[in-house]
């Protein structure tokens, strides 16, 4: 017992004595006994208000050991008809309640309190996360239905750079006897499609090169014959194309640099190129308006704005130590370096990390290259092929059979990529520009690092809907962010200071912007209630299954502990009793009741 | 009553009967015509005049085969007797003359006279007979119209529509503006097309290029001014036809595709397409000869030219332009000829050319080459040319030359000389044929055939065919102990050379001294084909002889070698059948193909004389680089710098439209984007109105509606912008991002410490 409780007891006792003595002294038409009882009741009610009085649970309801059947959305009608015969059913879905005249659960927590410790048999797709959390430590039997028909899962990049391919991967559940065609639409034009066989849950991959810029809604359709079974949105925010500042240092004028320069020119990149003609003689080529100068000596200011340096290993080896240090510092700061390596005897500071082995390919006139992402490239004529012997810290990028012809290594914040192929321009001459752009896009993607700080986020759930909770996990340390211009506070992640959490209940569907103070804004999309229904149902089903499995393991592993659960008596009862007692005492103290002889 | 009246009565009944029967037959014929027309309409467009012809043919056939026209009076009388019992089977009495009738017959006629005319004729023949034929007619007519309006639009007509049909094909007519009561468009095509003038009320204009378009408009009320706005840029005023300003007209000659609007007192109408059908030049297709033809020695020196020409309107003229090159190296000379066509092509739309070009008449000799192409002009003066075809007369002297073979780089195997030797020997035989006896000629020819065979077999080895020592023979093989069990019982025969076989075959038993070795020739001669059937079967199942296993040549070379072997076989066939003169062309052809095969992988470039800058001995080997300065160049500025900005804006518009389908509300930013997109679409519509005009209209409608109820318009605009944007290629992206947090900076820094 605490001090306040003891003090209260003393006070209550004193008050009781005072009330009894007072009533004994006063004369009233109301009998003394009743007045005493009223006083006692009033003080008892006060005590009940002050102290939490409890009673064992077994007094409140009959502890039914029968299961309580709860139907959620997705329960088959046949199951409902069978289960309702046994009684004790309820549902969280208003449609089921209307159709089968089953009680609808308006408040899940209150419902659980009404049925404490009653095992629940759950049918349908399942419950939401808060509802599942309320079921902790309660016996739960989950009867999962068949997965819903349609797109049960789909993932795609929510933010994309311009001229990057959009790849959407997912799974479609087709329980019907008919094939289903899944089509990706861009600007209402079909750009990719695949066939899902009958009676199968099949994964699919759809891709396209978007022509749009900004907030864009793509569409994915599921068609069976002439019928459109499902039509969903794929919102993607496409960032404007980036430009790179490229510096090229060639040991000798070559076609590879010539064609690379032309390609960069088409992409409107800033280019500064230097080719060695003789020991101290160079030829320079710059893009229009370039303030750069590649005349020796090269220093840190040369590479300050450069995103990428393409150089011959031989050329770098001929640079002075200071120049090589400047290049290394720039790479450490985030500049990408792509080296054409061969069997040079002298190595540069960064090129010495790559060991090149000469292999003879007498019988081969052409080689076929494959990337680590399993992209194939056309045949390339080659005279002598050098392979790279990678170290554990190096990642292979391109292969020919088992030989590695390009590899990349992290150096500070930048990447150094070494490549032994220097005649990819042959593809351009053979009218295979697509392979050329693919190869170089792949190489440069793995070599250049972003410098601009952008706002990255991860949204939960995967398909947020209106008026429902959603959370954004942002990679931004700002304490305040604004959504659609309205400021929203963020909560810092418990362990990772870089990350922040933002909870949000969107009021309307469509695009919403997130803006931080020193970064670009990002966009996220909120769906309507009817969008991606099968996928959301499938996610609910998965979450409920996982929860039921975890709970089942917990309950089977839990030791047998005798527990006498108790319930607290509601305070309003005591308040009512106090009022009644006070009323009686007041009535007894009225003038017309006094002075009774 | 006299019989004349009775006859008249029967004749009248006959006419009535005939009339109804013919009407019924006509109904059947028309019904059958409808049925035929419905079927024909599904497959082809037939002219309307054919249907009356079909109907009349069917009607005539029905009448003829039913025998209606040959009905006689007595048949009518019989029908009347059957129909009317009151006539007591005596109607035929009316047909007889009074004089031929007896008393009883006259009495009968008198009795019938009264009742006959009272008979209800309608019971004999009336309109009810037409119920069935008319019913069938109505049914078939209904079926015909159902097919005409509902089924045939979904089926294609097999005919290719001509230009005139395209011009006259009904298009969905554009609504006239409210202020325009009537409109007439007069299209006057250029005279050379030969097309007639046309008139239409539809304001969508499709006319041949160069046409003059006349527009005549009648307004509902007086208008102060009316103008034509072409492609949204050019304004042409219309002239009022009369003082009341209700009729306006204009004539103009558009130069390119586009669209136009009418401006009535400043108010613009809808967009109308203006499509100009270009006059394409003559299309020339040459089916024969091939692009490169070689005429070998012994083959006729002619080239059969087969070609076809088509033009939109008419071909004016066509010729064959030929150039002959003679000589080699610096001594080459060229002569040009213009060969007229034997087929008349003037004023024809389609012409088929079949002509033989005689190379001798053109003055070509061995080694000369003919380059020719066909040239044609159409009525509009446009010239078109076919590909250039090359015909080479093989020079046999060059075949025998050793040029290109003794360079020592790639040693030519000696097989090549054998073919030349066979040709030399064959020519020698031909030269000496007159002085030799027939058996001797046959013998030598046969020997040459055998040599050719041997050569063919040697080459055949490369294709995995028969071995050198025997045709399909299993002889001479030594499998050792690992040989297949099925062949173990076969004896190893001695190697039989072809010389031995030849000697055996050609041996003359009657020669002197035959008795000395007659025993050798008593038994069976050596054969190239094993006699034992089992061995024959075993050879067929042997694993060695597989063409696919040969790996010396690639597929193209193997095909060429097979063709060479075929020519060798043709040569051998004729040599062995004692026709050496006929064999010679094939031998030359085989030699040419062998040479081509050998030189296939080589590219010969003629040595051109070069002039080099004379060396300065003072500077030579001095190593002085002072005058060499590093060049500084700039990448050339790309053309159309604004094009990128326009594309960026179109891309943003495309993204905006994808959201507009959901939001259904056009905001200010969207209006701006649409205005800019409208400019691009307008330019595209002026080039290709058929493709982009609907999108231009959709943009304007979208701006008016503000985004509501405009799903179809949004889709049209999206499609148009999607087509306007170029096909994109992948571009490098900066993907990796490193945070500026100190801990991450320190981490990456530590990565490079060592």
């Amino acid at each position: 017992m605490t001090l306040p409780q003891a003090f209260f007891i003393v006070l209550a006792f004193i008050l009781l004595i005072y009330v009894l003595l007072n009533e004994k002294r006063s004369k009233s038409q109301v009998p003394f006994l009743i007045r005493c009882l009223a006083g006692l009741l009033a003080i008892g009610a006060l005590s009940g208000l002050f102290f939490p009085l409890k009673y064992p649970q077994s007094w409140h309801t009959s502890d039914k050991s029968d299961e309580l059947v709860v139907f959620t959305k997705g329960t088959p009608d046949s199951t409902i008809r069978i289960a309702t015969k046994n009684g004790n059913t309820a549902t969280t879905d208003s449609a089921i309640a209307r159709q089968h005249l089953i009680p609808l659960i308006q408040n899940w927590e209150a419902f659980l309190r009404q049925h404490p410790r009653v095992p629940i048999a759950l049918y349908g797709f399942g419950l939401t996360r808060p509802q599942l959390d309320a079921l902790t430590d309660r016996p739960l039997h989950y009867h999962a239905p068949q997965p819903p028909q349609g797109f049960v899962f789909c993932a795609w990049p929510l933010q994309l750079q311009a001229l990057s391919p959009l790849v959407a991967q997912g799974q479609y559940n087709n329980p019907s006897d008919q094939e289903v065609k899944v089509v990706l639409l861009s600007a209402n034009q079909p750009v990719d499609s695949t066939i899902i066989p009958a009676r199968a849950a099949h994964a699919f991959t759809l891709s396209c090169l978007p022509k749009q810029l900004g907030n864009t809604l793509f569409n994915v359709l599921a068609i069976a014959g002439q019928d459109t079974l499902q039509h969903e949105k794929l919102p993607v925010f496409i960032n404007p194309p980036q430009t790179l500042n490229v510096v090229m240092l060639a040991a000798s004028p070559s076609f590879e640099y010539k064609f690379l320069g032309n390609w960069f020119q088409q992409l409107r990149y800033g280019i500064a190129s230097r080719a060695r003609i003789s020991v101290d003689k160079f030829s320079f080529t710059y893009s229009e308006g370039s303030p750069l100068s590649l005349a020796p000596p090269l220093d840190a200011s040369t590479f300050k704005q450069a995103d990428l340096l393409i150089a011959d290993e031989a050329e770098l080896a001929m640079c002075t130590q200071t120049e090589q240090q400047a290049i290394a510092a720039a790479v450490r700061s985030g500049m990408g370096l792509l080296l054409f390596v061969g069997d040079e005897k002298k190595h540069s500071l960064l090129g010495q990390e790559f060991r090149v082995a000469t292999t003879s390919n007498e019988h081969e006139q052409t080689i076929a290259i494959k990337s680590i992402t399993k992209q194939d490239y056309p045949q390339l004529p080659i005279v002598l092929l050098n392979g790279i012997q990678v170290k554990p810290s190096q990642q292979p990028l391109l292969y020919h059979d088992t030989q590695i012809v390009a590899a990349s290594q992290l150096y500070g914040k930048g990447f150094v990529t070494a490549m032994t192929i220097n005649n990819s321009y042959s593809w351009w001459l053979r009218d295979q520009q697509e392979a050329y752009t693919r190869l170089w896009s792949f190489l440069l993607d793995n070599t250049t690092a972003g410098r601009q700080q952008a706002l990255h986020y991860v949204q939960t759930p995967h398909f947020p809907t209106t008026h429902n909770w959603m959370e954004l996990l942002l990679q931004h340390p700002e304490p305040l962010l604004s959504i659609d211009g309205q400021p929203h506070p963020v909560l810092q992640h418990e362990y990772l200071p870089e990350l922040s959490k933002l909870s949000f209940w969107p009021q309307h569907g469509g695009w919403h912007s997130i803006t931080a103070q020193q970064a670009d804004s990002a966009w996220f999309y909120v769906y309507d209630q009817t969008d991606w229904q099968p996928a959301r149902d499938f996610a609910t089903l998965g979450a409920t299954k996982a929860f039921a499995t975890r709970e089942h393991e917990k309950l089977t592993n839990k030791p047998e502990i005798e527990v006498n659960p108790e319930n607290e008596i509601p305070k309003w009862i005591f308040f009512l009793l106090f009022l009644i007692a006070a009323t009686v005492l007041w009535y007894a103290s009225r003038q017309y009741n006094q002075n009774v002889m | 009553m006299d019989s004349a009246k009775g006859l008249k009565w029967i004749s009248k009944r006959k006419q009535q009967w005939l009339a109804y029967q013919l009407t019924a037959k006509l109904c059947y014929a028309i019904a059958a015509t409808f049925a035929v027309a419905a079927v024909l309409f599904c497959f082809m467009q037939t002219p309307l005049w054919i249907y009356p012809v079909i109907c009349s043919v069917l009607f005539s056939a029905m009448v003829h085969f039913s025998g209606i026209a040959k009905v006689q009076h007595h048949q009518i009388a019989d029908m009347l007797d059957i129909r009317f019992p009151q006539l007591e089977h005596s109607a035929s009495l009316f047909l007889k003359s009074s004089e031929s009738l007896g008393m009883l017959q006259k009495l009968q006629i008198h009795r019938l006279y009264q009742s006959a005319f009272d008979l209800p004729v309608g019971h004999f023949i009336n309109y009810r007979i037409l119920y069935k034929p008319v019913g069938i007619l109505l049914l078939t007519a209904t079926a015909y119209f159902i097919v005409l309006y509902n089924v045939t639009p979904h089926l294609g007509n097999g005919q290719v529509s001509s230009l005139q049909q395209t011009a006259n094909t009904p298009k969905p007519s554009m609504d006239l503006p409210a202020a325009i009561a009537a409109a007439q468009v007069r299209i006057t095509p250029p005279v050379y097309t030969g097309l007639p003038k046309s008139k239409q009320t539809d304001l969508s204009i499709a006319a041949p290029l160069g046409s003059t378009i006349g527009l005549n408009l009648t307004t509902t009320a007086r208008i102060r001014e009316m103008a034509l706005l072409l492609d949204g840029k050019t304004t042409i005023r219309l002239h009022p036809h009369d003082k009341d300003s209700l009729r306006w007209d204009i004539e103009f000659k558009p130069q390119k595709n586009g669209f136009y609007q009418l401006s009535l007192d400043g108010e613009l109408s809808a967009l109308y397409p203006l499509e100009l059908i270009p006059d394409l030049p003559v299309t020339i297709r040459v089916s024969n000869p091939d692009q490169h033809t070689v005429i070998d020695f012994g083959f006729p020196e002619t080239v059969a030219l087969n070609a076809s020409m088509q033009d939109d309107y008419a071909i004016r003229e066509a010729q064959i332009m030929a150039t002959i090159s003679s000589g080699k190296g610096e001594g080459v000379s060229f002569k040009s000829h213009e060969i007229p066509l034997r087929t008349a092509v003037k004023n024809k739309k389609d012409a088929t050319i079949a002509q033989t070009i005689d190379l001798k008449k053109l003055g070509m000799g061995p080694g000369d080459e003919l380059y020719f192409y066909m040239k044609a002009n159409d009525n509009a003066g446009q010239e078109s040319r076919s590909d250039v075809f090359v015909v080479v007369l093989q020079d046999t002297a060059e075949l025998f030359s050793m040029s290109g073979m003794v360079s020592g780089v790639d040693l030519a195997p000696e097989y090549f000389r054998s073919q030349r030797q066979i040709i030399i020997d064959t020519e020698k035989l031909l030269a000496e044929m007159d002085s030799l006896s027939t058996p001797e000629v046959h013998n030598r020819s046969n020997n040459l055939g055998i040599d050719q065979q041997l050569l063919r077999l040697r080459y055949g080895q490369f294709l995995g065919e028969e071995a050198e020592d025997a045709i399909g023979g299993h002889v001479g093989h030594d499998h050792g102990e690992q040989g297949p069990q099925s062949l173990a019982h076969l004896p190893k025969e001695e190697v039989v050379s072809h010389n031995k076989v030849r000697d055996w075959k050609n041996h003359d038993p009657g020669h002197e001294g035959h008795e000395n070795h007659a025993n050798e020739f008593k038994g069976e001669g050596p054969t190239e084909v094993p006699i034992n059937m089992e061995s024959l079967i075993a050879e067929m199942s042997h694993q060695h002889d597989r063409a696919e296993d040969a790996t010396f040549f690639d597929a193209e070379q193997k095909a060429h070698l097979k063709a060479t072997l075929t020519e060798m076989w043709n040569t051998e066939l004729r040599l062995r059948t004692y026709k050496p003169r006929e064999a010679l062309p094939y031998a030359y052809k085989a030699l040419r193909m062998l040479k081509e095969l050998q030189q296939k992988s080589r590219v010969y470039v003629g040595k051109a004389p070069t002039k080099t800058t004379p060396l300065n001995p003072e500077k030579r080997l001095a190593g002085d680089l002072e005058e060499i300065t590093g060049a500084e160049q700039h990448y050339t500025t790309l053309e159309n710098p604004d094009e990128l900005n326009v594309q960026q804006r179109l891309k943003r518009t495309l993204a905006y439209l994808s959201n507009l389908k959901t939001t259904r509300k056009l905001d200010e930013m969207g209006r701006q984007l649409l205005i800019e997109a409208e400019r691009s679409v307008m330019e595209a519509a002026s080039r290709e109105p058929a493709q982009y005009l609907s999108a231009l209209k959709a943009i304007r409608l979208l701006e008016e509606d503000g985004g509501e109820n405009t799903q179809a318009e949004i889709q049209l605009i999206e499609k148009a912008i999607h087509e306007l944007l170029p096909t994109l290629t992948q571009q490098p992206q900066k993907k990796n991002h490193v945070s500026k947090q100190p801990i991450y900076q320190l981490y990456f820094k530590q990565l490079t410490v060592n």
Side-chain angles (χ1 to χ4, degrees), chain B residues 295-313:
Chain B
I295 298 177
D296 292 301
F297 175 81
F299 287 91
E301 292 179 9
T302 56
V303 175
L305 173 66
N306 293 320
S308 65
M309 296 185 189
Q310 285 97 24
D311 187 57
D312 300 339
Y313 301 111

Side-chain angles (χ1 to χ4, degrees), chain B residues 476-512:
Chain B
H477 271 69
D478 184 3
H479 288 278
E481 294 177 1
Q482 282 86 29
Q485 293 302 315
S486 60
L487 305 172
H489 63 284
L490 293 175
K492 288 181 198 164
E493 299 175 41
E494 61 174 16
V495 175
V496 177
S497 72
H498 288 285
N499 286 332
K500 190 170 179 182
V501 170
R502 192 171 59 194
D503 291 340
W504 175 271
K505 281 182 181 171
N506 295 336
H507 185 76
D508 183 8
H511 74 98
E512 284 183 21

